[in-house]
Each structure stands twice: as structure tokens, then as C-alpha cells.
PDB file of all heavy atoms in Angstrom:
ATOM      1  N   PRO D 140       0.789  -1.242   0.000  1.00  0.00           N
ATOM      2  CA  PRO D 140       0.000   0.000   0.000  1.00  0.00           C
ATOM      3  C   PRO D 140       0.814   1.282   0.000  1.00  0.00           C
ATOM      4  O   PRO D 140       0.381   2.281  -0.583  1.00  0.00           O
ATOM      5  CB  PRO D 140      -0.861  -0.124   1.263  1.00  0.00           C
ATOM      6  CG  PRO D 140      -0.190  -1.171   2.092  1.00  0.00           C
ATOM      7  CD  PRO D 140       0.469  -2.094   1.152  1.00  0.00           C
ATOM      8  N   ALA D 141       1.986   1.294   0.621  1.00  0.00           N
ATOM      9  CA  ALA D 141       2.787   2.526   0.632  1.00  0.00           C
ATOM     10  C   ALA D 141       3.190   2.942  -0.772  1.00  0.00           C
ATOM     11  O   ALA D 141       3.437   4.133  -1.027  1.00  0.00           O
ATOM     12  CB  ALA D 141       4.037   2.327   1.491  1.00  0.00           C
ATOM     13  N   SER D 142       3.228   1.975  -1.690  1.00  0.00           N
ATOM     14  CA  SER D 142       3.745   2.241  -3.034  1.00  0.00           C
ATOM     15  C   SER D 142       2.718   2.083  -4.143  1.00  0.00           C
ATOM     16  O   SER D 142       3.075   2.157  -5.313  1.00  0.00           O
ATOM     17  CB  SER D 142       4.926   1.293  -3.316  1.00  0.00           C
ATOM     18  OG  SER D 142       5.950   1.469  -2.377  1.00  0.00           O
ATOM     19  N   PHE D 143       1.452   1.888  -3.805  1.00  0.00           N
ATOM     20  CA  PHE D 143       0.465   1.614  -4.851  1.00  0.00           C
ATOM     21  C   PHE D 143      -0.137   2.894  -5.427  1.00  0.00           C
ATOM     22  O   PHE D 143      -0.002   3.173  -6.612  1.00  0.00           O
ATOM     23  CB  PHE D 143      -0.620   0.693  -4.321  1.00  0.00           C
ATOM     24  CG  PHE D 143      -1.533   0.158  -5.400  1.00  0.00           C
ATOM     25  CD1 PHE D 143      -1.040  -0.687  -6.382  1.00  0.00           C
ATOM     26  CD2 PHE D 143      -2.877   0.499  -5.431  1.00  0.00           C
ATOM     27  CE1 PHE D 143      -1.864  -1.190  -7.386  1.00  0.00           C
ATOM     28  CE2 PHE D 143      -3.713   0.009  -6.424  1.00  0.00           C
ATOM     29  CZ  PHE D 143      -3.207  -0.836  -7.404  1.00  0.00           C
ATOM     30  N   LYS D 144      -0.820   3.680  -4.596  1.00  0.00           N
ATOM     31  CA  LYS D 144      -1.445   4.910  -5.101  1.00  0.00           C
ATOM     32  C   LYS D 144      -1.666   5.878  -3.945  1.00  0.00           C
ATOM     33  O   LYS D 144      -2.282   5.524  -2.936  1.00  0.00           O
ATOM     34  CB  LYS D 144      -2.783   4.586  -5.783  1.00  0.00           C
ATOM     35  CG  LYS D 144      -3.452   5.756  -6.505  1.00  0.00           C
ATOM     36  CD  LYS D 144      -2.653   6.192  -7.718  1.00  0.00           C
ATOM     37  CE  LYS D 144      -3.320   7.312  -8.509  1.00  0.00           C
ATOM     38  NZ  LYS D 144      -4.497   6.859  -9.273  1.00  0.00           N
ATOM     39  N   ASP D 145      -1.153   7.084  -4.109  1.00  0.00           N
ATOM     40  CA  ASP D 145      -1.259   8.128  -3.093  1.00  0.00           C
ATOM     41  C   ASP D 145      -2.397   9.060  -3.469  1.00  0.00           C
ATOM     42  O   ASP D 145      -2.333   9.741  -4.496  1.00  0.00           O
ATOM     43  CB  ASP D 145       0.078   8.868  -3.012  1.00  0.00           C
ATOM     44  CG  ASP D 145       0.021  10.109  -2.135  1.00  0.00           C
ATOM     45  OD1 ASP D 145      -0.909  10.221  -1.328  1.00  0.00           O
ATOM     46  OD2 ASP D 145       0.931  10.955  -2.266  1.00  0.00           O
ATOM     47  N   SER D 146      -3.414   9.134  -2.634  1.00  0.00           N
ATOM     48  CA  SER D 146      -4.598   9.930  -2.977  1.00  0.00           C
ATOM     49  C   SER D 146      -4.505  11.383  -2.519  1.00  0.00           C
ATOM     50  O   SER D 146      -5.287  12.226  -2.975  1.00  0.00           O
ATOM     51  CB  SER D 146      -5.849   9.302  -2.354  1.00  0.00           C
ATOM     52  OG  SER D 146      -5.846   9.462  -0.934  1.00  0.00           O
ATOM     53  N   ASN D 147      -3.586  11.686  -1.598  1.00  0.00           N
ATOM     54  CA  ASN D 147      -3.582  13.035  -1.022  1.00  0.00           C
ATOM     55  C   ASN D 147      -2.268  13.780  -1.188  1.00  0.00           C
ATOM     56  O   ASN D 147      -2.080  14.848  -0.601  1.00  0.00           O
ATOM     57  CB  ASN D 147      -3.964  12.978   0.463  1.00  0.00           C
ATOM     58  CG  ASN D 147      -3.012  12.103   1.272  1.00  0.00           C
ATOM     59  OD1 ASN D 147      -1.971  11.679   0.788  1.00  0.00           O
ATOM     60  ND2 ASN D 147      -3.405  11.819   2.515  1.00  0.00           N
ATOM     61  N   GLY D 148      -1.346  13.249  -1.962  1.00  0.00           N
ATOM     62  CA  GLY D 148      -0.133  13.969  -2.283  1.00  0.00           C
ATOM     63  C   GLY D 148       0.894  14.062  -1.179  1.00  0.00           C
ATOM     64  O   GLY D 148       1.783  14.918  -1.235  1.00  0.00           O
ATOM     65  N   ASP D 149       0.815  13.177  -0.165  1.00  0.00           N
ATOM     66  CA  ASP D 149       1.810  13.233   0.904  1.00  0.00           C
ATOM     67  C   ASP D 149       3.005  12.320   0.638  1.00  0.00           C
ATOM     68  O   ASP D 149       3.911  12.218   1.467  1.00  0.00           O
ATOM     69  CB  ASP D 149       1.178  12.906   2.257  1.00  0.00           C
ATOM     70  CG  ASP D 149       0.679  11.462   2.365  1.00  0.00           C
ATOM     71  OD1 ASP D 149       0.753  10.717   1.357  1.00  0.00           O
ATOM     72  OD2 ASP D 149       0.214  11.087   3.453  1.00  0.00           O
ATOM     73  N   GLY D 150       3.010  11.647  -0.528  1.00  0.00           N
ATOM     74  CA  GLY D 150       4.135  10.790  -0.881  1.00  0.00           C
ATOM     75  C   GLY D 150       4.022   9.365  -0.398  1.00  0.00           C
ATOM     76  O   GLY D 150       4.931   8.556  -0.632  1.00  0.00           O
ATOM     77  N   TRP D 151       2.926   9.055   0.270  1.00  0.00           N
ATOM     78  CA  TRP D 151       2.734   7.730   0.869  1.00  0.00           C
ATOM     79  C   TRP D 151       1.429   7.150   0.329  1.00  0.00           C
ATOM     80  O   TRP D 151       0.380   7.778   0.443  1.00  0.00           O
ATOM     81  CB  TRP D 151       2.671   7.881   2.392  1.00  0.00           C
ATOM     82  CG  TRP D 151       2.737   6.612   3.180  1.00  0.00           C
ATOM     83  CD1 TRP D 151       1.680   5.899   3.672  1.00  0.00           C
ATOM     84  CD2 TRP D 151       3.911   5.916   3.617  1.00  0.00           C
ATOM     85  NE1 TRP D 151       2.127   4.801   4.364  1.00  0.00           N
ATOM     86  CE2 TRP D 151       3.496   4.791   4.356  1.00  0.00           C
ATOM     87  CE3 TRP D 151       5.278   6.140   3.448  1.00  0.00           C
ATOM     88  CZ2 TRP D 151       4.402   3.889   4.927  1.00  0.00           C
ATOM     89  CZ3 TRP D 151       6.173   5.241   4.022  1.00  0.00           C
ATOM     90  CH2 TRP D 151       5.732   4.134   4.745  1.00  0.00           C
ATOM     91  N   GLY D 152       1.488   5.979  -0.267  1.00  0.00           N
ATOM     92  CA  GLY D 152       0.267   5.353  -0.761  1.00  0.00           C
ATOM     93  C   GLY D 152      -0.727   5.124   0.356  1.00  0.00           C
ATOM     94  O   GLY D 152      -0.362   5.027   1.534  1.00  0.00           O
ATOM     95  N   ASP D 153      -2.004   5.021  -0.002  1.00  0.00           N
ATOM     96  CA  ASP D 153      -3.023   4.924   1.038  1.00  0.00           C
ATOM     97  C   ASP D 153      -4.225   4.119   0.561  1.00  0.00           C
ATOM     98  O   ASP D 153      -4.332   3.746  -0.615  1.00  0.00           O
ATOM     99  CB  ASP D 153      -3.445   6.320   1.494  1.00  0.00           C
ATOM    100  CG  ASP D 153      -3.763   7.255   0.337  1.00  0.00           C
ATOM    101  OD1 ASP D 153      -4.462   6.823  -0.609  1.00  0.00           O
ATOM    102  OD2 ASP D 153      -3.315   8.423   0.366  1.00  0.00           O
ATOM    103  N   LEU D 154      -5.122   3.853   1.491  1.00  0.00           N
ATOM    104  CA  LEU D 154      -6.309   3.050   1.185  1.00  0.00           C
ATOM    105  C   LEU D 154      -7.245   3.751   0.204  1.00  0.00           C
ATOM    106  O   LEU D 154      -7.741   3.103  -0.727  1.00  0.00           O
ATOM    107  CB  LEU D 154      -7.035   2.678   2.478  1.00  0.00           C
ATOM    108  CG  LEU D 154      -6.314   1.619   3.329  1.00  0.00           C
ATOM    109  CD1 LEU D 154      -6.918   1.545   4.727  1.00  0.00           C
ATOM    110  CD2 LEU D 154      -6.364   0.252   2.654  1.00  0.00           C
ATOM    111  N   PRO D 155      -7.518   5.043   0.347  1.00  0.00           N
ATOM    112  CA  PRO D 155      -8.338   5.695  -0.682  1.00  0.00           C
ATOM    113  C   PRO D 155      -7.725   5.572  -2.069  1.00  0.00           C
ATOM    114  O   PRO D 155      -8.439   5.424  -3.074  1.00  0.00           O
ATOM    115  CB  PRO D 155      -8.411   7.149  -0.203  1.00  0.00           C
ATOM    116  CG  PRO D 155      -8.297   7.050   1.283  1.00  0.00           C
ATOM    117  CD  PRO D 155      -7.300   5.949   1.505  1.00  0.00           C
ATOM    118  N   GLY D 156      -6.394   5.642  -2.158  1.00  0.00           N
ATOM    119  CA  GLY D 156      -5.749   5.460  -3.456  1.00  0.00           C
ATOM    120  C   GLY D 156      -5.985   4.069  -4.007  1.00  0.00           C
ATOM    121  O   GLY D 156      -6.280   3.901  -5.204  1.00  0.00           O
ATOM    122  N   LEU D 157      -5.863   3.063  -3.163  1.00  0.00           N
ATOM    123  CA  LEU D 157      -6.150   1.689  -3.585  1.00  0.00           C
ATOM    124  C   LEU D 157      -7.599   1.552  -4.025  1.00  0.00           C
ATOM    125  O   LEU D 157      -7.893   0.970  -5.080  1.00  0.00           O
ATOM    126  CB  LEU D 157      -5.846   0.729  -2.429  1.00  0.00           C
ATOM    127  CG  LEU D 157      -6.322  -0.718  -2.575  1.00  0.00           C
ATOM    128  CD1 LEU D 157      -5.768  -1.368  -3.827  1.00  0.00           C
ATOM    129  CD2 LEU D 157      -5.946  -1.519  -1.332  1.00  0.00           C
ATOM    130  N   ILE D 158      -8.511   2.103  -3.261  1.00  0.00           N
ATOM    131  CA  ILE D 158      -9.937   2.003  -3.587  1.00  0.00           C
ATOM    132  C   ILE D 158     -10.223   2.644  -4.945  1.00  0.00           C
ATOM    133  O   ILE D 158     -11.044   2.148  -5.719  1.00  0.00           O
ATOM    134  CB  ILE D 158     -10.775   2.664  -2.468  1.00  0.00           C
ATOM    135  CG1 ILE D 158     -10.664   1.832  -1.178  1.00  0.00           C
ATOM    136  CG2 ILE D 158     -12.233   2.811  -2.886  1.00  0.00           C
ATOM    137  CD1 ILE D 158     -11.131   2.559   0.068  1.00  0.00           C
ATOM    138  N   SER D 159      -9.508   3.709  -5.250  1.00  0.00           N
ATOM    139  CA  SER D 159      -9.747   4.412  -6.516  1.00  0.00           C
ATOM    140  C   SER D 159      -9.355   3.582  -7.731  1.00  0.00           C
ATOM    141  O   SER D 159      -9.765   3.902  -8.858  1.00  0.00           O
ATOM    142  CB  SER D 159      -8.977   5.742  -6.538  1.00  0.00           C
ATOM    143  OG  SER D 159      -7.573   5.533  -6.697  1.00  0.00           O
ATOM    144  N   GLU D 160      -8.566   2.526  -7.536  1.00  0.00           N
ATOM    145  CA  GLU D 160      -8.106   1.708  -8.657  1.00  0.00           C
ATOM    146  C   GLU D 160      -8.741   0.320  -8.669  1.00  0.00           C
ATOM    147  O   GLU D 160      -8.218  -0.608  -9.295  1.00  0.00           O
ATOM    148  CB  GLU D 160      -6.579   1.590  -8.621  1.00  0.00           C
ATOM    149  CG  GLU D 160      -5.851   2.906  -8.801  1.00  0.00           C
ATOM    150  CD  GLU D 160      -6.082   3.535 -10.168  1.00  0.00           C
ATOM    151  OE1 GLU D 160      -6.562   2.828 -11.088  1.00  0.00           O
ATOM    152  OE2 GLU D 160      -5.794   4.739 -10.329  1.00  0.00           O
ATOM    153  N   MET D 161      -9.883   0.178  -8.022  1.00  0.00           N
ATOM    154  CA  MET D 161     -10.565  -1.111  -8.016  1.00  0.00           C
ATOM    155  C   MET D 161     -10.964  -1.560  -9.423  1.00  0.00           C
ATOM    156  O   MET D 161     -10.889  -2.750  -9.758  1.00  0.00           O
ATOM    157  CB  MET D 161     -11.811  -1.060  -7.126  1.00  0.00           C
ATOM    158  CG  MET D 161     -11.531  -1.180  -5.638  1.00  0.00           C
ATOM    159  SD  MET D 161     -10.788  -2.764  -5.191  1.00  0.00           S
ATOM    160  CE  MET D 161      -9.079  -2.244  -4.993  1.00  0.00           C
ATOM    161  N   ASP D 162     -11.384  -0.632 -10.250  1.00  0.00           N
ATOM    162  CA  ASP D 162     -11.776  -1.001 -11.609  1.00  0.00           C
ATOM    163  C   ASP D 162     -10.569  -1.492 -12.414  1.00  0.00           C
ATOM    164  O   ASP D 162     -10.695  -2.402 -13.244  1.00  0.00           O
ATOM    165  CB  ASP D 162     -12.447   0.176 -12.318  1.00  0.00           C
ATOM    166  CG  ASP D 162     -13.852   0.436 -11.797  1.00  0.00           C
ATOM    167  OD1 ASP D 162     -14.448  -0.489 -11.206  1.00  0.00           O
ATOM    168  OD2 ASP D 162     -14.343   1.565 -11.974  1.00  0.00           O
ATOM    169  N   TYR D 163      -9.420  -0.893 -12.168  1.00  0.00           N
ATOM    170  CA  TYR D 163      -8.200  -1.352 -12.837  1.00  0.00           C
ATOM    171  C   TYR D 163      -7.920  -2.816 -12.486  1.00  0.00           C
ATOM    172  O   TYR D 163      -7.627  -3.640 -13.358  1.00  0.00           O
ATOM    173  CB  TYR D 163      -7.024  -0.466 -12.430  1.00  0.00           C
ATOM    174  CG  TYR D 163      -5.672  -1.005 -12.850  1.00  0.00           C
ATOM    175  CD1 TYR D 163      -5.183  -0.791 -14.134  1.00  0.00           C
ATOM    176  CD2 TYR D 163      -4.881  -1.739 -11.957  1.00  0.00           C
ATOM    177  CE1 TYR D 163      -3.939  -1.295 -14.528  1.00  0.00           C
ATOM    178  CE2 TYR D 163      -3.640  -2.240 -12.343  1.00  0.00           C
ATOM    179  CZ  TYR D 163      -3.180  -2.015 -13.628  1.00  0.00           C
ATOM    180  OH  TYR D 163      -1.961  -2.522 -14.009  1.00  0.00           O
ATOM    181  N   LEU D 164      -8.008  -3.146 -11.200  1.00  0.00           N
ATOM    182  CA  LEU D 164      -7.732  -4.516 -10.765  1.00  0.00           C
ATOM    183  C   LEU D 164      -8.794  -5.482 -11.272  1.00  0.00           C
ATOM    184  O   LEU D 164      -8.488  -6.607 -11.688  1.00  0.00           O
ATOM    185  CB  LEU D 164      -7.638  -4.572  -9.241  1.00  0.00           C
ATOM    186  CG  LEU D 164      -6.491  -3.768  -8.613  1.00  0.00           C
ATOM    187  CD1 LEU D 164      -6.505  -3.890  -7.103  1.00  0.00           C
ATOM    188  CD2 LEU D 164      -5.156  -4.221  -9.171  1.00  0.00           C
ATOM    189  N   HIS D 165     -10.035  -5.045 -11.271  1.00  0.00           N
ATOM    190  CA  HIS D 165     -11.110  -5.900 -11.763  1.00  0.00           C
ATOM    191  C   HIS D 165     -10.941  -6.170 -13.252  1.00  0.00           C
ATOM    192  O   HIS D 165     -11.122  -7.305 -13.727  1.00  0.00           O
ATOM    193  CB  HIS D 165     -12.461  -5.242 -11.478  1.00  0.00           C
ATOM    194  CG  HIS D 165     -13.636  -6.096 -11.832  1.00  0.00           C
ATOM    195  ND1 HIS D 165     -14.328  -5.967 -13.027  1.00  0.00           N
ATOM    196  CD2 HIS D 165     -14.228  -7.111 -11.170  1.00  0.00           C
ATOM    197  CE1 HIS D 165     -15.306  -6.852 -13.070  1.00  0.00           C
ATOM    198  NE2 HIS D 165     -15.269  -7.570 -11.957  1.00  0.00           N
ATOM    199  N   ASP D 166     -10.580  -5.141 -13.999  1.00  0.00           N
ATOM    200  CA  ASP D 166     -10.387  -5.295 -15.439  1.00  0.00           C
ATOM    201  C   ASP D 166      -9.195  -6.196 -15.749  1.00  0.00           C
ATOM    202  O   ASP D 166      -9.197  -6.924 -16.747  1.00  0.00           O
ATOM    203  CB  ASP D 166     -10.177  -3.915 -16.071  1.00  0.00           C
ATOM    204  CG  ASP D 166     -10.077  -3.983 -17.591  1.00  0.00           C
ATOM    205  OD1 ASP D 166     -11.002  -4.527 -18.221  1.00  0.00           O
ATOM    206  OD2 ASP D 166      -9.073  -3.492 -18.144  1.00  0.00           O
ATOM    207  N   LEU D 167      -8.190  -6.170 -14.894  1.00  0.00           N
ATOM    208  CA  LEU D 167      -7.034  -7.047 -15.071  1.00  0.00           C
ATOM    209  C   LEU D 167      -7.419  -8.507 -14.955  1.00  0.00           C
ATOM    210  O   LEU D 167      -6.846  -9.367 -15.630  1.00  0.00           O
ATOM    211  CB  LEU D 167      -5.962  -6.689 -14.031  1.00  0.00           C
ATOM    212  CG  LEU D 167      -4.722  -7.581 -13.956  1.00  0.00           C
ATOM    213  CD1 LEU D 167      -3.959  -7.587 -15.277  1.00  0.00           C
ATOM    214  CD2 LEU D 167      -3.812  -7.140 -12.808  1.00  0.00           C
ATOM    215  N   GLY D 168      -8.403  -8.797 -14.119  1.00  0.00           N
ATOM    216  CA  GLY D 168      -8.816 -10.184 -13.908  1.00  0.00           C
ATOM    217  C   GLY D 168      -8.532 -10.678 -12.504  1.00  0.00           C
ATOM    218  O   GLY D 168      -8.467 -11.882 -12.256  1.00  0.00           O
ATOM    219  N   VAL D 169      -8.383  -9.741 -11.573  1.00  0.00           N
ATOM    220  CA  VAL D 169      -8.074 -10.070 -10.184  1.00  0.00           C
ATOM    221  C   VAL D 169      -9.339 -10.515  -9.458  1.00  0.00           C
ATOM    222  O   VAL D 169     -10.403  -9.907  -9.601  1.00  0.00           O
ATOM    223  CB  VAL D 169      -7.454  -8.847  -9.482  1.00  0.00           C
ATOM    224  CG1 VAL D 169      -7.349  -9.062  -7.982  1.00  0.00           C
ATOM    225  CG2 VAL D 169      -6.095  -8.540 -10.093  1.00  0.00           C
ATOM    226  N   ASP D 170      -9.213 -11.562  -8.655  1.00  0.00           N
ATOM    227  CA  ASP D 170     -10.324 -12.051  -7.842  1.00  0.00           C
ATOM    228  C   ASP D 170     -10.189 -11.665  -6.372  1.00  0.00           C
ATOM    229  O   ASP D 170     -11.187 -11.511  -5.677  1.00  0.00           O
ATOM    230  CB  ASP D 170     -10.405 -13.582  -7.929  1.00  0.00           C
ATOM    231  CG  ASP D 170     -10.616 -14.068  -9.346  1.00  0.00           C
ATOM    232  OD1 ASP D 170     -11.602 -13.646  -9.967  1.00  0.00           O
ATOM    233  OD2 ASP D 170      -9.798 -14.865  -9.845  1.00  0.00           O
ATOM    234  N   VAL D 171      -8.945 -11.562  -5.906  1.00  0.00           N
ATOM    235  CA  VAL D 171      -8.700 -11.276  -4.490  1.00  0.00           C
ATOM    236  C   VAL D 171      -7.587 -10.243  -4.374  1.00  0.00           C
ATOM    237  O   VAL D 171      -6.537 -10.384  -4.995  1.00  0.00           O
ATOM    238  CB  VAL D 171      -8.282 -12.548  -3.715  1.00  0.00           C
ATOM    239  CG1 VAL D 171      -8.151 -12.241  -2.222  1.00  0.00           C
ATOM    240  CG2 VAL D 171      -9.261 -13.684  -3.942  1.00  0.00           C
ATOM    241  N   VAL D 172      -7.826  -9.225  -3.559  1.00  0.00           N
ATOM    242  CA  VAL D 172      -6.810  -8.213  -3.267  1.00  0.00           C
ATOM    243  C   VAL D 172      -6.198  -8.532  -1.906  1.00  0.00           C
ATOM    244  O   VAL D 172      -6.901  -8.605  -0.900  1.00  0.00           O
ATOM    245  CB  VAL D 172      -7.418  -6.798  -3.255  1.00  0.00           C
ATOM    246  CG1 VAL D 172      -6.356  -5.761  -2.896  1.00  0.00           C
ATOM    247  CG2 VAL D 172      -8.048  -6.476  -4.604  1.00  0.00           C
ATOM    248  N   TRP D 173      -4.895  -8.757  -1.903  1.00  0.00           N
ATOM    249  CA  TRP D 173      -4.155  -8.986  -0.649  1.00  0.00           C
ATOM    250  C   TRP D 173      -3.425  -7.697  -0.317  1.00  0.00           C
ATOM    251  O   TRP D 173      -2.593  -7.230  -1.085  1.00  0.00           O
ATOM    252  CB  TRP D 173      -3.218 -10.170  -0.829  1.00  0.00           C
ATOM    253  CG  TRP D 173      -1.987 -10.198   0.043  1.00  0.00           C
ATOM    254  CD1 TRP D 173      -1.788  -9.581   1.247  1.00  0.00           C
ATOM    255  CD2 TRP D 173      -0.762 -10.886  -0.246  1.00  0.00           C
ATOM    256  NE1 TRP D 173      -0.526  -9.841   1.719  1.00  0.00           N
ATOM    257  CE2 TRP D 173       0.125 -10.642   0.835  1.00  0.00           C
ATOM    258  CE3 TRP D 173      -0.335 -11.694  -1.298  1.00  0.00           C
ATOM    259  CZ2 TRP D 173       1.412 -11.173   0.878  1.00  0.00           C
ATOM    260  CZ3 TRP D 173       0.944 -12.215  -1.253  1.00  0.00           C
ATOM    261  CH2 TRP D 173       1.798 -11.962  -0.171  1.00  0.00           C
ATOM    262  N   VAL D 174      -3.740  -7.132   0.839  1.00  0.00           N
ATOM    263  CA  VAL D 174      -3.152  -5.865   1.264  1.00  0.00           C
ATOM    264  C   VAL D 174      -2.068  -6.132   2.299  1.00  0.00           C
ATOM    265  O   VAL D 174      -2.330  -6.675   3.371  1.00  0.00           O
ATOM    266  CB  VAL D 174      -4.222  -4.928   1.857  1.00  0.00           C
ATOM    267  CG1 VAL D 174      -3.615  -3.556   2.146  1.00  0.00           C
ATOM    268  CG2 VAL D 174      -5.416  -4.795   0.916  1.00  0.00           C
ATOM    269  N   SER D 175      -0.840  -5.755   1.978  1.00  0.00           N
ATOM    270  CA  SER D 175       0.260  -5.880   2.927  1.00  0.00           C
ATOM    271  C   SER D 175      -0.006  -4.991   4.143  1.00  0.00           C
ATOM    272  O   SER D 175      -0.890  -4.138   4.112  1.00  0.00           O
ATOM    273  CB  SER D 175       1.579  -5.525   2.240  1.00  0.00           C
ATOM    274  OG  SER D 175       1.937  -6.515   1.293  1.00  0.00           O
ATOM    275  N   PRO D 176       0.738  -5.168   5.240  1.00  0.00           N
ATOM    276  CA  PRO D 176       0.348  -4.572   6.523  1.00  0.00           C
ATOM    277  C   PRO D 176       0.001  -3.085   6.479  1.00  0.00           C
ATOM    278  O   PRO D 176       0.769  -2.272   5.959  1.00  0.00           O
ATOM    279  CB  PRO D 176       1.569  -4.826   7.407  1.00  0.00           C
ATOM    280  CG  PRO D 176       2.152  -6.076   6.865  1.00  0.00           C
ATOM    281  CD  PRO D 176       1.967  -5.965   5.376  1.00  0.00           C
TER     282      PRO D 176
END
């Protein structure tokens, strides 16, 4: 998550950033999202 998508410009990836790319993962063909700590 620290490196996936930063939604607020603080340089650190976050959950809102991950949520914003759900369609990308779904379109890729992903069935399960595993989130590191």
C-alpha cells in the first residue's frame, strides 16, 4: 500500500488510493486483493 497509489499527495500510498483503482484490478482479472500490513 505505501507504493500503490497516493490519494492526497503526501508521498505515501493509502487506502483511498487503492480504492480508486478497483476497476483497474477488476479489469485485469483479479479475484482477491491482498493488502500488505
Side-chain angles (χ1 to χ4, degrees):
S142 301
F143 191 65
K144 187 67 177 287
D145 171 18
S146 70
N147 59 10
D149 66 356
W151 191 264
D153 49 45
L154 288 167
L157 169 57
I158 292 165
S159 73
E160 296 296 344
M161 281 297 102
D162 287 339
Y163 169 83
L164 296 180
H165 185 262
D166 185 55
L167 174 60
V169 170
D170 300 303
V171 185
V172 178
W173 154 23
V174 186
S175 290

